[in-house]
Amino acid sequence: MKPHLRAVALPGGKTKKKILDIEHLHKTFHINGGFLPVLEEINFRAEGGELICILGRSGCGKSTLLKIVAGFISPSSGKVLLKGKSVKTPGPDRCVIFQEDALFPWLTVEENIAFGLRGLGQDKESKATEVERFLGLVGLREFRDYLPRELSGGMKQRVALARVLILKPEVLLMDEPFASLDAQSREEMQNLLLSLWKELGHTILFVTHDVNEAVILADKILFMDKNPGRIREEIRVDLPRPRSRDGAVFLGFCRKLHEALRD
Amino acid sequence: MSENKEKINRRGARRFLPWLIPSLFFFSWIVISAAGLIPTYLLPHPHDIAETAYAYIFGAPGGGPYAGRFLSDAASSLLRVGCGFAVAVAVGLPLGILSGRLSVIQKLLSTTVNALRAVPGITWLPLAMIWFGIGMKTTVFLVAMAAFFPVFLNAAAGARQVDPLLLQAGAMMGVRRLRGTFAILIPGAMPHLMTGLRLGLGISWAYLVLGELTGVQNGLGAVIMDARMLGRIDMIVVGIIIIAVIGRLADRLLQGGMRFCFKSARRLV
């Protein structure tokens, strides 16, 4: 099947700034002397402030795609363009929220959030104000002096969010960040992410295998096939926000995607 | 309430736990000596030991063969251990961290380090005596040689096992290599670094005594060797106890100092 691309009409006919451009991306791994094509002809773009979910079953290369955009691994061919400039190494313009806990275990919540600000040449006071603001945004003011090992999974991911949002990245890359949380915390985190997104207006690339999560969050879903991984379809989700998790339209949308995922 | 009290009692009991074995040991020593089970030329009475120790530490110089020598002996031994250990750390820590992270360095060093490691430390003694003569330099060389391996190997293991995710997290937050080394790699490897430093310092004391057994004038090891030749077993025992106490204190000081200087040592170790 050929990757299916279609032009994305923006709500209200607004023309938004193009932030991220993925062009003809291929990735092949060398394993046991053989070649394993993981990603094939990936093309998509993200407009400023768009929330895009990359949805697919495990093994479809969606995490690999995110790692390439982050600059942790390089593509076999193709380009990642950020505001028209090709990017190849990791940097604070494309921050990542990992699936696993990647906080610095020897730093408190507050110090973890302030970590990226070190060496940015801001004065102390404005740094402290910023840290305070983001502690508040993720609701962790009372936990500022806690160490990561003393936090629950959901709280850790809040810290992870705050420590990168404070750097004002162009794009936020999220690699199944809530997959290891229990259902309730996951819902809480999804709501928190949506409210932060509304307030700060980041462009977000969100990898998930959870259909409901994708439908709750996304403006646009990139639906991926596996072996080799490619984008089967770009699906606009134009359900009005805030979306209710039990509306008939929402559930219908999810059901259709579930069926598609099963094929 | 009573449960709380019980908890406090238990914690009180815990605090005495480290002293249980030394005091049992001491008690049986007194019993054995009082009963005369072992002749005093093999195991002197604790009372004699105390007297010798008092004279050695607080006595006026010249008041007896070992009177008042403690300060100068301890000072020269500490200087030797300090210098040897410092050399081992200055070389072993950076090399270890490099070899844990860079496979080129690891390949470059592994054969040499492992070959040298197979040589027992004492084997260096004759060579060191020819090269450096008797005294300070030989001892420092032996101590540095012995302390290098635990420091190096643990630093390498520590640097190797730092979660790559943490380094990736640093990279995406704009941390470059040099800062990453100090802000992520070293703190992440801290538990191993601490282990290496403590093992290294411990073994430093062992090789200090070895270096001083070769006929230097002063030092804790020298006193022990001297006492053996004069048949002063009480002084030998005093020397052993003093080395044990100073060694333990040095270990505490090292841990305390690291905790004071590094958040990661306070919070991870």
Side-chain angles (χ1 to χ4, degrees):
Chain A
M1 190 165 45
K2 272 244 157 182
H4 176 119
L5 273 175
R6 73 183 173 209
V8 175
L10 287 160
K14 279 184 288 183
T15 41
K16 285 194 178 173
K17 229 175 17 172
K18 187 174 73 182
I19 292 282
L20 193 65
D21 230 322
I22 311 297
E23 290 181 351
H24 309 294
L25 213 64
H26 290 249
K27 179 70 188 176
T28 307
F29 282 135
H30 300 232
I31 293 170
N32 299 333
F35 294 97
L36 182 70
V38 183
L39 293 173
E40 213 174 75
E41 192 59 27
I42 303 284
N43 292 286
F44 69 91
R45 62 167 49 174
E47 318 286 335
E50 217 176 2
L51 205 170
I52 299 178
C53 280
I54 301 173
L55 177 67
R57 295 167 61 167
S58 48
C60 72
K62 54 195 194 300
S63 284
T64 307
L65 174 56
L66 202 77
K67 281 182 188 134
I68 292 175
V69 178
F72 293 142
I73 51 183
S74 48
S76 305
S77 67
K79 270 184 194 160
V80 177
L81 301 169
L82 186 75
K83 286 182 155 174
K85 262 198 229 153
S86 169
V87 287
K88 285 170 181 145
T89 51
D93 47 5
R94 287 153 290 129
C95 279
V96 184
I97 311 278
F98 299 93
Q99 179 176 354
E100 312 90 339
D101 167 26
L103 301 175
F104 301 119
W106 56 90
L107 298 179
T108 62
V109 167
E110 188 174 1
E111 290 162 346
N112 263 295
I113 294 175
F115 183 88
L117 293 181
R118 279 196 256 168
L120 284 190
Q122 273 176 16
D123 62 283
K124 245 188 181 171
E125 229 163 90
S126 65
K127 272 185 202 174
T129 325
E130 281 291 276
V131 172
E132 199 59 35
R133 179 174 164 228
F134 281 89
L135 269 170
L137 277 175
V138 296
L140 287 176
R141 282 229 170 95
E142 300 92 89
F143 296 94
R144 65 175 73 229
D145 294 325
Y146 281 52
L147 290 172
R149 63 164 177 264
E150 297 160 342
L151 302 178
S152 69
M155 288 158 100
K156 281 182 194 167
Q157 289 306 57
R158 283 166 195 253
V159 181
L161 262 171
R163 77 166 174 182
V164 297
L165 288 177
I166 203 170
L167 300 176
K168 310 198 166 46
E170 297 283 353
V171 184
L172 194 58
L173 306 169
M174 308 184 74
D175 187 6
E176 305 203 37
F178 310 144
S180 58
L181 304 181
D182 62 273
Q184 249 155 343
S185 322
R186 192 179 314 145
E187 210 176 300
E188 250 176 63
M189 289 302 293
Q190 289 162 357
N191 293 340
L192 175 71
L193 177 67
L194 286 172
S195 75
L196 287 171
W197 176 60
K198 203 171 155 196
E199 178 158 349
L200 303 168
H202 290 94
T203 309
I204 301 178
L205 216 56
F206 190 108
V207 162
T208 183
H209 62 260
D210 180 341
V211 168
N212 291 40
E213 185 166 65
V215 179
I216 269 288
L217 296 176
D219 288 328
K220 180 166 86 182
I221 296 175
L222 303 178
F223 191 12
M224 284 187 71
D225 266 338
K226 71 192 258 186
N227 296 333
R230 50 188 160 193
I231 297 174
R232 188 205 289 186
E233 205 174 346
E234 254 187 60
I235 302 160
R236 266 234 88 79
V237 185
D238 29 25
L239 303 174
R241 295 177 192 273
R243 295 172 184 164
S244 84
R245 287 164 199 270
D246 39 23
V249 192
F250 175 81
L251 291 174
F253 212 115
C254 290
R255 194 170 335 111
K256 256 191 280 171
L257 272 175
H258 264 300
E259 274 159 21
L261 204 58
R262 224 169 289 141
D263 301 338
Chain B
M1 237 16 238
S2 72
E3 205 175 292
N4 246 346
K5 237 182 208 169
E6 212 169 276
K7 229 180 226 172
I8 289 166
N9 276 343
R10 208 179 303 154
R11 203 175 301 156
R14 284 272 167 86
R15 285 178 55 183
F16 291 109
L17 215 49
W19 302 104
L20 184 65
I21 293 175
S23 44
L24 270 181
F25 185 73
F26 189 64
F27 182 71
S28 32
W29 184 7
I30 290 177
V31 171
I32 287 168
S33 298
L37 292 174
I38 298 175
T40 52
Y41 67 87
L42 290 180
L43 185 69
H45 193 280
H47 182 255
D48 299 336
I49 300 290
E51 246 171 28
T52 310
Y54 186 86
Y56 180 59
I57 298 171
F58 301 108
Y66 299 109
R69 277 185 53 181
F70 170 71
L71 271 185
S72 71
D73 282 341
S76 42
S77 284
L78 278 171
L79 182 67
R80 289 174 188 137
V81 164
C83 288
F85 182 60
V87 170
V89 173
V91 181
L93 215 50
L95 277 186
I97 290 172
L98 279 175
S99 121
R101 288 316 305 180
L102 304 173
S103 64
V104 187
I105 307 285
Q106 197 260 328
K107 286 222 170 78
L108 178 74
L109 294 179
S110 69
T111 305
T112 315
V113 167
N114 283 309
L116 287 178
R117 194 160 66 100
V119 179
I122 195 168
T123 323
W124 296 107
L125 185 60
L127 195 60
M129 283 171 72
I130 294 169
W131 283 350
F132 304 118
I134 286 167
M136 178 77 180
K137 281 188 205 156
T138 295
T139 317
V140 169
F141 173 78
L142 282 178
V143 168
M145 208 59 186
F148 169 81
F149 294 102
V151 172
F152 172 86
L153 292 170
N154 281 286
R160 204 173 300 124
Q161 60 77 50
V162 168
D163 190 346
L165 208 57
L166 295 184
L167 297 168
Q168 282 189 347
M172 65 111 182
M173 288 193 278
V175 175
R176 305 234 172 271
R177 231 183 193 170
L178 186 67
R179 213 196 118 203
T181 306
F182 289 98
I184 301 173
L185 194 57
I186 291 179
M190 189 52 81
H192 283 78
L193 299 185
M194 273 286 267
T195 307
L197 291 178
R198 292 181 62 193
L199 287 172
L201 187 59
I203 208 164
S204 292
W205 284 98
Y207 281 82
L208 166 83
V209 175
L210 184 67
E212 288 183 349
L213 289 182
T214 54
V216 286
Q217 288 305 307
N218 47 10
L220 297 168
V223 162
I224 292 175
M225 204 54 190
D226 195 63
R228 187 194 73 83
M229 290 197 280
L230 296 181
R232 286 284 303 274
I233 190 167
D234 53 332
M235 192 57 227
I236 296 177
V237 176
V238 169
I240 290 171
I241 293 173
I242 286 177
I243 288 174
V245 170
I246 294 184
R248 180 83 186 102
L249 286 178
D251 184 51
R252 288 304 275 272
L253 202 68
L254 175 72
Q255 282 191 69
M258 294 292 285
R259 291 219 168 101
F260 183 76
C261 295
F262 297 98
K263 274 179 199 152
S264 48
R266 271 201 296 287
R267 293 170 181 166
L268 295 183
V269 184

